[in-house]
Amino acid sequence: MENYYQKEIECASREEIKALQDQRLVEQVKHVYENVPYYRNLMEEKGVTPEDIKSTDDLHKLPFISKADLRDAYPTGLLAVPLSECVEIHSTSGTTGRRVVAFYTQGDIDLWHECCARAVVAAGGTKDDIVQVAYGYGLFTGGAGLDGGSHKVGCMTLPMSSGNTERQIQFMQDLKATILCCTPSYAAYIGETLHDMGLSPEDISLKAGIFGAEPWTEEMRRDIEKSLGIKAYDIYGLTETSGPGVAYECSAQNGMHINEDHFIAEIIDPDTGEVLPEGEKGELVFTSITKKAFPLLRYRTRDICVLTREKCSCGRTHVKMTKPMGRSDDMMIIRGVNVFPSQIETVLLEQGYSPNYLIEVDRVNNTDTLDVFVELSSDMFSDTVKEIAKREKDLSIAMRTMLGIGPKVHLVPAKSIARSEGKAVRVVDKRKLHD
Ligand code: ADP
Ligand code: ZN
């Protein structure tokens, strides 16, 4: 039987959700127009006033806001309440350029934690569960978000933060943690360490994991589920929209329900900005309709995915998003071909390799080069040089089929590629150093 944290809203009719969004959007546009001069200017440039926004049908009239705007307005230019109303900040991991700082009122924090609580319950969490939070605590939203969600459900929460992997496993055993929350790359590392310590999934009590904050493939999910003996659920969010819990997976494990009472999602063509019909792939855009301190309207996430309102077996009615393949800025253009790291990951795991890899892009004599470093697994250890060369070639061919270009594959010794305790760094683009 499916459990819900807030059944009435999670399973509300489409009409109810639309009516709620209409009313909240109208109020939010007024709030932002009156309190954020930066966005008011963008609206004036576009010739839109709050009176023009009568329902979600008018959403497309509003200007977009992008990461560049966040940088321009850094640090407080998009704040919509006096600083004295705020109780906390979080900040992006700063993967790309200047940090973004997001502000929260106490009300914002409560709603954010409720969103995370829905994710915990959707992953099977109840007050009897023991939730090990191994996302980083601090400025990063992962630790704080899942910690808050776990508290709301009434679970016993282990605020481990990331790192010290053997201690994570020790606590997991001693306190019989049932749900693990961390990045998927860290979950894979914990699984590997468990095995290295001579333990198996039977030696721990985990039943589920809530993993997100970075792209991961279905192959990676299966890998983690096997190594930890759990069901692995995806969770999505970004600092600009509070953090994790914007969307989360249910028992169907095929796409994440977006908390539509708090966020309106759109998919646009990243080149033209035009709104695309449901089912088409494009850039995800979010409008926060309940956040007070840092309410972004039509924020361009640069994450590429698809939305669907098909009926879900779990009974929830909120729109679902597919796993983002990666951000548009994670996409590498190599000799004119678009390549996502997740495509390379898919091939590696399908071919029985571990998710420990590094992609290196460079430019030699004006030609882009693509090198993929992958670890040999222990059963390949005794392979001869000839066998290894054959494996490298086979992998390169499999990748050519998937990507349209064949990288040079290098099989390297086990454990020679750095493990991730947070967001994994998969790509080194040396071209940027030369430019
Ligand atoms: P940064 O932008 O510095 O990485 P954030 O921690 O705010 O800081 O990261 C948010 C981004 O992380 C999202 O825009 C998305 O690209 C990625 N992300 C978060 N959750 C997922 C997920 N479940 N699947 C794929 N990507 C995700
Ligand atoms: Zn569902």
Side-chain angles (χ1 to χ4, degrees), residues 2 4 122 248-257 310-318 320:
E2 191 84 24
Y4 310 96
Y248 60 92
E249 245 175 11
C250 59
S251 53
Q253 285 184 299
N254 67 347
M256 297 176 269
H257 290 284
E310 266 168 37
K311 201 168 161 18
C312 186
S313 57
C314 77
R316 290 180 184 79
T317 47
H318 293 211
K320 283 192 344 190

Side-chain angles (χ1 to χ4, degrees), residues 27-28 30-38 75-89 102-109 290-296:
E27 283 170 22
Q28 187 74 313
K30 278 202 202 94
H31 171 59
V32 174
Y33 187 85
E34 282 161 16
N35 297 297
V36 186
Y38 188 97
T76 51
L78 291 165
L79 193 59
V81 299
L83 201 54
S84 57
E85 296 298 308
C86 298
V87 297
E88 193 164 318
I89 64 153
F103 298 83
Y104 305 71
T105 63
Q106 187 56 52
D108 294 339
I109 297 264
T290 49
K291 257 149 52 86
K292 287 289 172 240
F294 197 68
L296 301 184

Side-chain angles (χ1 to χ4, degrees), residues 195-321:
H195 181 260
D196 290 351
M197 287 166 76
L199 300 170
S200 73
E202 287 74 56
D203 297 312
I204 54 174
S205 309
L206 285 186
K207 62 175 185 186
I210 304 175
F211 306 129
E214 63 182 359
W216 53 312
T217 57
E218 281 304 321
E219 291 73 20
M220 181 95 159
R221 187 208 302 264
R222 283 197 287 275
D223 220 56
I224 296 171
E225 290 192 329
K226 197 161 140 242
S227 72
L228 290 171
I230 59 172
K231 283 221 164 288
Y233 299 89
D234 203 354
I235 185 165
Y236 169 91
L238 51 163
T239 314
E240 294 88 323
T241 55
S242 294
V246 171
Y248 60 92
E249 245 175 11
C250 59
S251 53
Q253 285 184 299
N254 67 347
M256 297 176 269
H257 290 284
I258 295 174
N259 283 313
E260 285 188 284
D261 48 333
H262 300 297
F263 303 98
I264 305 175
E266 299 170 276
I267 290 286
I268 62 161
D269 178 326
D271 298 321
T272 63
E274 189 196 333
V275 179
L276 297 176
E278 187 179 317
E280 283 195 28
K281 187 161 89 183
E283 177 178 349
L284 190 54
V285 172
F286 281 116
T287 296
S288 297
I289 47 176
T290 49
K291 257 149 52 86
K292 287 289 172 240
F294 197 68
L296 301 184
L297 306 181
R298 299 198 89 201
Y299 179 65
R300 292 186 61 159
T301 62
R302 294 177 300 172
D303 291 323
I304 306 292
C305 71
V306 178
L307 295 182
T308 162
R309 288 208 167 74
E310 266 168 37
K311 201 168 161 18
C312 186
S313 57
C314 77
R316 290 180 184 79
T317 47
H318 293 211
V319 67
K320 283 192 344 190
M321 59 182 272

